[in-house]
Every structure is written in structure tokens, then in C-alpha cells.
């Protein structure tokens, strides 16, 4: 058995760094949080090669003097806490004193810092945990940290890093988080010498949210929420239940005391608040939760942030209180929302909506909440007036000759049937339906699935997935040279691509203008992150003032995480956003057209993402269920 020994300091530092520094975004997180704790109101982040080659964070905070600059690289050196009691009253983002020594142990680190009281700044340089240089220089008040070659001397760690675009995407998401929490701080992100984000400090969070998610954010189906109990509070925005394609599906953010937190208690309370409304209206798929952006303020002594190495999880001392506060606040907001939708539906049904159509959600809420008297109540109240046969047809019999799809040719001397209302198997029938399509006679189930009778059973088709497959194959054919079917916009639209769209996607759009034109778009660069759209594919029937194009880019971002084939990802994204949705009523002609186009596809059995889009139930299965056969 080997002897127990104490690890060398550099080994200990690298092990500790593995807990804190997972990827380039972890370095950015630690340095930006230090800058915020230092009182900075301007933070600049610059990265190269996704942060693997260079990370630079510059702030205008209070800075450090020469002694503090040296001491900051000692493990567990911090200005945030002093005693054990301070751990239970943490009001800062950082407190452990592990960030700088951890980063310095796995990279080459260059720090320049200066306080307002000092005329000269201090330079400290480390390389893989070893101090290389300490000197003086001139610099502005604040701190600038440059990190080069992250994990370069640890190839086993570096090989686990993702590609530069993926690592950059994690950093962009983190900057978005901090920008939402701290609107009073300006954030600027430069990637490979190109400015990608520039959020100017603003007095209100609402303005910052519009910067991050686009100016149309509050024009969407958004519900403001606010609740308070003693020193606990929750505020922010949740999305309503309207079934719209332009929702920010991925925007589910929870911030607790200025930190982005993934907490099971809060997520469960949000889901519990939504669940009864989702089940009632079928507006969202069961098990999913609409987007939300929530900010919780918890007394520091009632929360433990020292339970996760990267401080991404917390533990509440009053778990039930936090759960109840979030649940009751959101439930109250959703009830008010439901009341507003009910009032809107009633107004539109009564003709007071100025010609506006009732949405599917409003209809569902109206039907669920309207009181419809039962037949027994009518009969009791108007018993004397009730006539059981008032609406009975004079020709109440349903003889075979009245059946719409048969033409009985009965012999003149046929014997009288005991049950004349029942079909007679001895009669000769001539089929009246001459067109082949009439044999199909499709119908919709919940305005989502199409049922078709075939010779040996029943076929059920998912209308959204089927239409998605049809559009996908058309777009692939166009990318290979087939002529595009376009619709020209009367007035060209200027689209501002919002900052939360990955910079990788913006660059890919610029590089693939020719491919976008082949599938049906006519785009032109305008300025900055703006595009001019002149023509769109004919399949985009509801362009929604260009918001669908933003949704296509968001879908494209998700697709690119699975495969790097831009053509395939683009076709899938457009098809997904163009296809008819669930709960969309189709006419008989539309259903037949969809079926015909589907079976003209090369792969009519699966959607572009590989999910089955049809199900066949043979007649024998029905016969077994009804015990007609064994």
C-alpha cells in the first residue's frame, strides 16, 4: 500500500483550479464578478479563439494597491469576508479568494491595477502558478487582467474544450446574464477584434431587457410579476399562454441576489404555477414551461451560496417560504391574465373587438369559464313550453336510400322488412363516389392530427411534422438548383438582429447570402446588425413584420449545435417556422393537398429531425380490441 503524502503546491493549485475554472467562460465569470464587486460601472471583455488563446477583462472599479495586488494571488485571500459569521451574510458576488490563484495556475496571467490614491499602477505577471514579474507602470484607475493560453500546459484539460464558436457562445450568454441584472453597468464584448456586444449603462432594467431581447419584447405576450413577503421579494416578467411562434423559448432566467442561479425549488414553483393553466388551455405542450425572467431578492442570512464551486446553485434556509412566494405571485399574475383574455374574448364575440379575431387561447379560456346552463335546467324552467318532438324531422326514418354514399336499387316486389330503419344486406348498392380522393375522407383530431381511412386500416398524420417534411425537401431541392418560389414584400423590411442571437449565426448569415437567396430570401446588408429583406420564401405565409426571420435565426442556432451543415440547418429552421402548427384547423381540401404532397416526398415517414410523422393502425388491431378476432 503506498504511503500517504502531501501534494505539491502546484498540484494542489491545479486541482483547485479544476473546480473553479471549467472553461473560458468560467474565467470571464470570475473576473467580471470581481469587477462588479470593485464598483465598476464600465466593463470591457475581449477574447480570441473563443477565449482559449486570450481573455482580457478591463474595468474602472476601485483597483488594488501594490500590496493587495500581490496578496490577491494567495489562495483564500479576500476582502469580502473576515469571520465565520460573514459567510452567512454574503452580499458580494465573490468571497472565497480562489479566482485569481486558480486562473494563474493554468495560464499566463498579466494584471495591471491602480487605486485613486496611487499615482502609479502595479503590474503582476504569473505563468502556470509561478510569479514571473512585479513592476510599476502608468494606467487608469481600475484593473485590467489578461489571460493567455488557458490550459495550454495541460493538454488533457484543453482537449475537452469545445470549438471557438461554442466557447464564445457561453461567454456571450454570461454577458447577457450580467447585463440583465446590472443595467447600470455598461458591458462591451469584443471577439477576435470585432465588437459583438455593447450595452450602454441605463437607469431602468426594462430598457436593458429591450436591448438584449429586441425592441418588440414587451409587445409580445408578456406578463409583469411582482410579489413581496417581509424581506423576500420576486419581480420580473413571465410569458403568457398564447401559442405564438416568436416566443423566446430559451429565455428561462432566474437571478437571485444578483446571480444567475439554476435552482430546483424556484423552477418547481414556476412549473407548478403554470401547470393548471397549461392543462386547462392545452396552449403549451404538457411538461414544458413558457419563458420567464425572474429576479429574487433574499436576505443574505437566509441563503447559502457556498454550496457549489462555481456558485451556480444555492440553498435556502426557508425553502417553503421561497417556493410559496414564487408560486403565489405567478399564480396571481396568471389569473389576472386569464381574466383579461376572457374579457377580450367576450368583447370580440359580442362584436366589440373592431373586427379582431378571437385567438385559440381566448376561445379556450372563454369556453372553460363561461357558464352554460344544462338542458335539465331549461326543461325545469320552461317545462310547460317544452315539446319533445318540436325539432324532430317529419321524415325521421333513416332508410338505406337516405345514406349519402350508397344508391340502393331495390326490387319492386321486395318483402317488407321488420326493421325498415336498418340497412338491408340483400339490397344492391351502387357506389355514388366517383372521385378517388372522396374515398379518403380525412378528418382532424384536436386540429392537430389528420385521420385517413385506408384499405387495410387507419393512418394518423401529425400535420405540423408532415408539412415540415414537405417544406424541408422543397428547400433542399432549391439549394441544389431548383427554382425558388418567392413572395415580394410591398415595403422592404429592415430587421435588427438582436444581441442574444449568437455571433456565429450572424457571421454565417453574412457568409451564406447566396444560399439564402437560393431558398427564397433576398437580403441586403444595411448597417451593423441590420438586414434589409426584400423577398421571402412563399412558404412563410405569416411573416409577422419580420419577427419570423428572427425565430428562424434562433432555430438555426439550436440546429448548428447538432450539425455544422449550414444548408441542412437552414432548411430545417425555415421548415420548422413555416409549417402549419398544432391546433390549426384545416379544410378538407387543405388536408388532401397536404397528404398528396407528403407522399410525393422522398422520405414521407419522418420529419426533418427524425421524429415519426405518421402512425398506421391496421384493421386487425381494431378487431382484436373489440374481441371480433382472437
Amino acid at each position: 500500500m503506498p504511503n500517504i503524502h502531501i501534494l505539491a503546491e502546484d498540484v494542489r493549485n491545479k486541482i483547485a483550479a479544476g473546480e473553479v475554472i471549467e472553461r473560458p467562460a468560467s474565467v470571464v465569470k470570475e473576473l467580471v464578478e470581481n469587477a462588479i464587486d470593485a464598483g465598476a460601472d464600465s466593463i470591457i471583455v475581449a477574447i480570441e479563439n473563443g477565449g482559449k488563446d486570450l481573455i482580457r477583462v478591463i474595468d474602472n472599479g476601485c483597483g488594488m494597491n501594490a500590496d493587495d495586488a500581490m496578496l490577491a494571488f494567495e489562495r483564500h485571500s479576500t476582502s469580502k469576508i473576515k469571520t465565520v459569521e460573514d459567510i452567512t451574510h454574503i452580499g458580494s458576488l465573490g468571497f472565497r479568494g480562489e479566482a485569481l490563484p486558480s486562473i494563474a495556475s493554468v495560464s499566463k496571467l498579466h494584471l495591471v491595477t491602480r487605486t485613486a490614491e496611487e499615482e502609479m499602477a502595479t503590474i503582476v505577471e504569473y505563468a502556470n502558478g509561478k510569479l514571473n514579474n512585479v513592476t510599476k507602470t502608468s494606467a487608469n484607475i481600475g484593473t485590467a487582467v489578461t489571460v493567455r493560453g488557458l490550459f495550454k500546459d495541460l493538454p488533457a484539460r484543453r482537449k475537452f474544450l469545445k470549438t471557438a464558436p461554442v466557447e464564445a457562445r457561453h461567454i456571450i450568454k454570461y454577458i447577457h446574464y450580467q447585463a440583465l441584472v446590472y443595467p447600470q453597468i455598461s458591458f462591451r464584448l469584443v471577439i477576435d477584434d470585432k465588437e459583438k456586444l455593447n450595452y450602454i449603462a441605463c437607469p431602468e432594467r426594462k430598457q436593458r431587457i429591450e436591448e438584449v431581447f429586441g425592441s418588440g419584447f414587451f409587445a409580445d405576450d408578456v406578463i409583469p410579476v411582482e410579489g413581496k413577503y417581509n424581506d423576500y421579494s420576486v419581480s420580473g416578467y413571465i410569458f403568457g399562454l398564447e401559442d405564438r411562434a416568436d416566443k423566446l423559448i430559451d429565455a428561462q432566467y432566474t437571478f437571485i441576489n444578483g446571480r444567475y442561479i439554476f435552482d430546483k425549488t424556484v423552477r418547481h414553483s414556476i412549473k407548478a404555477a403554470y401547470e393548471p393553466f397549461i392543462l386547462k388551455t392545452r396552449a403549451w405542450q404538457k411538461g414544458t414551461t413558457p419563458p420567464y425572467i425572474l429576479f429574487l431578492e433574499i436576505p443574505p442570512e437566509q441563503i447559502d451560496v457556498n454550496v457549489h464551486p462555481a456558485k451556480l446553485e444555492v440553498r435556502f434556509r426557508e425553502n417553503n417560504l421561497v417556493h410559496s412566494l414564487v408560486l403565489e405571485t405567478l399564480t396571481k399574475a396568471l389569473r389576472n391574465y386569464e381574466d383579461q383574455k376572457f374579457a377580450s374574448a367576450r368583447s370580440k364575440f359580442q362584436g366589440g373587438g373592431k373586427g379582431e379575431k378571437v385567438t385559440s387561447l381566448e376561445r379556450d379560456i372563454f369556453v372553460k369559464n363561461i357558464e352554460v346552463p344544462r338542458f335539465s335546467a331549461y326543461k325545469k324552467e320552461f317545462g310547460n313550453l317544452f315539446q319533445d318532438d318540436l325539432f324532430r324531422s317529419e321524415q325521421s326514418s333513416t332508410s338505406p336510400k337516405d345514406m349519402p354514399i350508397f344508391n340502393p336499387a331495390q326490387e319492386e316486389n321486395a318483402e317488407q322488412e321488420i326493421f325498415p330503419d336498418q340497412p338491408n344486406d340483400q339490397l344492391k348498392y351502387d357506389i355514388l363516389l366517383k372521385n378517388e380522393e372522396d374515398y379518403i375522407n380525412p378528418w382532424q383530431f384536436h386540429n392537430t392530427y389528420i385521420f385517413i381511412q385506408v384499405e387495410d386500416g387507419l393512418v394518423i398524420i401529425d400535420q405540423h411534422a408532415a408539412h415540415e417534411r414537405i417544406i424541408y425537401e422543397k428547400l433542399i431541392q432549391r439549394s441544389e438548383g431548383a427554382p425558388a418560389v418567392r413572395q415580394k414584400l410591398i415595403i422592404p423590411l429592415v430587421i435588427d438582429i438582436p444581441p442574444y442571437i449568437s455571433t456565429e449565426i450572424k457571421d454565417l448569415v453574412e457568409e451564406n447570402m447566396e444560399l439564402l437567396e437560393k431558398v427564397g430570401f433576398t437580403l441586403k446588408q444595411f448597417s451593423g446588425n441590420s438586414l434589409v429583406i426584400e423577398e421571402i420564401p412563399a412558404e412563410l405565409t405569416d411573416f409577422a413584420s419580420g419577427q419570423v426571420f428572427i425565430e428562424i435565426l434562433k432555430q438555426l442556432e439550436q440546429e448548428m449545435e447538432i450539425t455544422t451543415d449550414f444548408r441542412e440547418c437552414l432548411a430545417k429552421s425555415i421548415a420548422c417556422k413555416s409549417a402549419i402548427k398544432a391546433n390549426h384547423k384545416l379544410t378538407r381540401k387543405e388536408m388532401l393537398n397536404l397528404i398528396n404532397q407528403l407522399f410525393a416526398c422522398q422520405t414521407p415517414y419522418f420529419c426533418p429531425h427524425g421524429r415519426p410523422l405518421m402512425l398506421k393502425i391496421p384493421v386487425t388491431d381494431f378487431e382484436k380490441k373489440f374481441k371480433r378476432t382472437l
Side-chain angles (χ1 to χ4, degrees):
M1 180 176 179
N3 296 327
I4 296 174
H5 61 278
I6 298 174
L7 294 173
E9 185 178 356
D10 63 331
V11 178
R12 296 200 303 268
N13 288 340
K14 286 178 172 57
I15 292 173
E19 297 178 351
V20 179
I21 309 304
E22 179 185 357
R23 61 193 334 147
S26 306
V27 176
V28 173
K29 175 182 181 295
E30 297 294 341
L31 297 179
V32 168
E33 288 182 356
N34 282 347
I36 294 172
D37 287 338
D41 59 16
S42 175
I43 300 174
I44 300 172
V45 179
I47 65 171
E48 292 179 5
N49 191 23
K52 291 185 283 187
D53 292 346
L54 178 134
I55 298 171
R56 180 177 289 120
V57 177
I58 305 170
D59 69 68
N60 64 348
C62 63
M64 294 180 287
N65 59 36
D67 292 338
D68 284 348
M70 290 296 298
L71 193 59
F73 287 92
E74 296 295 330
R75 195 162 295 279
H76 303 304
S77 58
T78 178
S79 62
K80 318 297 171 55
I81 60 175
K82 292 182 179 180
T83 65
V84 174
E85 288 73 21
D86 292 339
I87 299 177
T88 61
H89 296 77
I90 295 172
S92 59
L93 296 177
F95 57 90
R96 293 189 188 128
E98 293 182 321
L100 282 178
S102 295
I103 298 169
S105 67
V106 292
S107 66
K108 292 181 179 179
L109 187 147
H110 178 93
L111 178 142
V112 181
T113 184
R114 178 193 157 206
T115 64
E117 292 77 21
E118 292 186 323
E119 295 182 359
M120 298 293 289
T122 302
I123 295 178
V124 181
E125 294 181 347
Y126 270 80
N128 297 312
K130 295 180 180 181
L131 178 63
N132 279 0
N133 184 33
V134 179
T135 186
K136 294 287 185 178
T137 188
S138 59
N140 295 326
I141 298 171
T143 303
V145 181
T146 302
V147 178
R148 297 182 184 274
L150 184 66
F151 299 134
K152 192 171 184 179
D153 290 344
L154 295 171
R157 287 291 307 276
R158 192 174 174 92
K159 73 177 183 180
F160 282 100
L161 297 180
K162 304 300 182 182
T163 61
V166 173
E167 296 297 344
R169 196 177 305 142
H170 284 284
I171 293 171
I172 292 170
K173 283 185 177 181
Y174 173 75
I175 298 298
H176 284 154
Y177 296 156
Q178 297 303 84
L180 291 171
V181 181
Y182 299 99
Q184 72 278 11
I185 300 176
S186 66
F187 291 90
R188 183 166 171 252
L189 176 62
V190 179
I191 300 178
D192 298 327
D193 297 325
K194 293 182 181 179
E195 184 182 273
K196 297 300 181 181
L197 299 177
N198 191 359
Y199 296 130
I200 306 301
C202 54
E204 294 184 3
R205 180 172 286 143
K206 185 176 181 180
Q207 183 178 342
R208 178 59 60 82
I209 289 176
E210 287 184 326
E211 284 188 76
V212 175
F213 295 111
S215 56
F217 179 86
F218 291 101
D220 205 340
D221 193 27
V222 174
I223 309 169
V225 297
E226 188 169 357
K228 187 177 178 66
Y229 179 81
N230 294 336
D231 293 333
Y232 294 75
S233 68
V234 58
S235 61
Y237 303 91
I238 62 175
F239 272 67
L241 302 173
E242 286 287 3
D243 186 15
R244 293 177 54 173
D246 56 350
K247 287 185 180 296
L248 304 171
I249 302 300
D250 57 341
Q252 296 184 339
Y253 302 150
T254 305
F255 302 96
I256 301 176
N257 291 2
R259 305 174 189 272
Y260 172 76
I261 297 293
F262 182 90
D263 182 75
K264 294 180 181 179
T265 298
V266 176
R267 289 176 71 88
H268 182 271
S269 61
I270 295 169
K271 185 177 180 180
Y274 267 112
E275 193 168 17
F277 297 92
I278 292 175
L279 292 175
K280 187 188 299 184
T281 61
R282 295 182 66 250
W284 283 75
Q285 187 178 3
K286 185 178 178 181
T288 60
T289 305
Y292 54 83
I293 304 174
L294 295 179
F295 304 89
L296 280 77
E297 292 296 329
I298 310 294
E301 64 274 11
Q302 297 297 323
I303 186 173
D304 185 2
V305 297
N306 194 28
V307 297
H308 190 276
K311 298 187 282 288
L312 294 176
E313 297 178 6
V314 296
R315 184 178 294 127
F316 302 110
R317 286 178 171 79
E318 296 287 347
N319 211 54
N320 291 337
L321 195 155
V322 175
H323 188 280
S324 298
L325 174 63
V326 176
L327 175 61
E328 291 175 10
T329 301
L330 268 62
T331 299
K332 181 180 178 181
L334 287 168
R335 282 176 181 164
N336 292 335
Y337 170 84
E338 187 180 52
D339 292 341
Q340 292 172 7
K341 290 296 180 182
F342 178 82
S344 174
R346 182 169 56 186
S347 174
K348 291 175 182 178
F349 280 131
Q350 293 175 351
K354 298 180 181 179
E356 296 180 13
K357 292 184 178 180
V358 178
T359 66
S360 60
L361 175 68
E362 289 175 337
R363 184 183 296 108
D364 289 342
I365 291 176
F366 186 82
V367 171
K368 292 289 183 181
N369 290 278
I370 193 70
E371 292 185 6
V372 180
R374 295 179 178 274
F375 171 74
S376 57
Y378 278 115
K379 187 172 181 179
K380 183 177 180 181
E381 185 175 356
F382 304 106
N384 295 331
L385 300 177
F386 179 75
Q387 300 179 39
D388 193 37
D389 59 347
L390 181 62
F391 298 102
R392 182 175 295 174
S393 173
E394 293 181 1
Q395 298 178 350
S396 58
S397 66
T398 55
S399 60
K401 66 179 180 180
D402 295 321
M403 298 179 68
I405 62 170
F406 295 110
N407 180 21
Q410 187 174 6
E411 297 179 2
E412 294 183 0
N413 298 326
E415 296 181 2
Q416 183 68 30
E417 291 291 325
I418 299 176
F419 302 105
D421 290 347
Q422 303 299 319
N424 189 338
D425 292 337
Q426 296 179 354
L427 297 178
K428 297 178 181 179
Y429 294 89
D430 295 327
I431 303 298
L432 293 176
L433 303 178
K434 302 299 182 184
N435 297 324
E436 183 180 352
E437 66 176 22
D438 291 333
Y439 287 108
I440 300 176
N441 199 25
W443 63 282
Q444 270 186 301
F445 178 68
H446 282 296
N447 291 337
T448 300
Y449 302 99
I450 300 174
F451 282 48
I452 317 164
Q453 177 181 325
V454 293
E455 184 178 358
D456 59 343
L458 177 71
V459 172
I460 305 171
I461 296 175
D462 182 333
Q463 64 188 33
H464 171 74
H467 198 208
E468 196 175 356
R469 164 54 65 179
I470 294 166
I471 297 173
Y472 170 77
E473 292 202 4
K474 286 182 179 179
L475 295 172
I476 291 295
Q477 291 168 7
R478 291 175 192 172
S479 69
E480 295 173 348
V485 183
R486 313 170 187 270
Q487 49 180 324
K488 190 176 184 65
L489 300 179
I490 298 175
I491 302 174
L493 286 174
V494 178
I495 301 295
D496 295 324
I497 302 178
Y500 62 83
I501 297 294
S502 167
T503 53
E504 177 193 4
I505 299 302
K506 297 175 187 175
D507 294 340
L508 284 171
V509 169
E510 294 176 10
E511 296 168 5
N512 291 275
M513 284 292 192
E514 184 179 350
L515 179 58
L516 284 161
E517 187 170 352
K518 283 183 178 181
V519 299
F521 284 104
T522 300
L523 307 174
K524 292 181 180 179
Q525 287 286 346
F526 188 60
S527 64
N529 290 329
S530 298
L531 293 171
V532 177
I533 301 180
E534 296 180 347
E535 293 180 318
I536 60 175
E539 289 77 14
L540 288 172
T541 55
D542 183 13
F543 200 55
S545 301
Q547 184 62 32
V548 172
F549 185 75
I550 303 298
E551 291 304 312
I552 289 172
L553 295 184
K554 283 163 42 181
Q555 181 72 24
L556 184 59
E557 186 174 1
Q558 297 176 14
E559 298 290 349
M560 291 296 291
E561 293 181 358
I562 302 172
T563 177
T564 56
D565 188 337
F566 183 80
R567 183 190 69 158
E568 183 180 346
C569 292
L570 179 65
K572 288 180 181 179
S573 301
I574 297 175
C576 181
K577 298 304 175 184
S578 306
I580 54 175
K581 302 295 184 289
N583 298 318
H584 180 86
K585 186 174 180 59
L586 299 176
T587 64
R588 185 171 182 276
K589 184 177 180 180
E590 289 172 333
M591 285 188 278
L592 291 172
N593 185 41
L594 183 72
I595 295 165
N596 290 333
Q597 289 188 64
L598 175 63
F599 285 102
C601 291
Q602 291 183 354
T603 311
Y605 305 108
F606 300 93
C607 82
H609 299 94
R611 292 184 294 106
L613 59 80
M614 70 172 69
L615 172 69
K616 183 177 180 181
I617 305 176
V619 173
T620 53
D621 283 5
F622 287 100
E623 291 173 342
K624 290 177 181 177
K625 289 292 183 182
F626 287 102
K627 307 300 181 183
R628 296 176 68 90
T629 60
L630 298 177

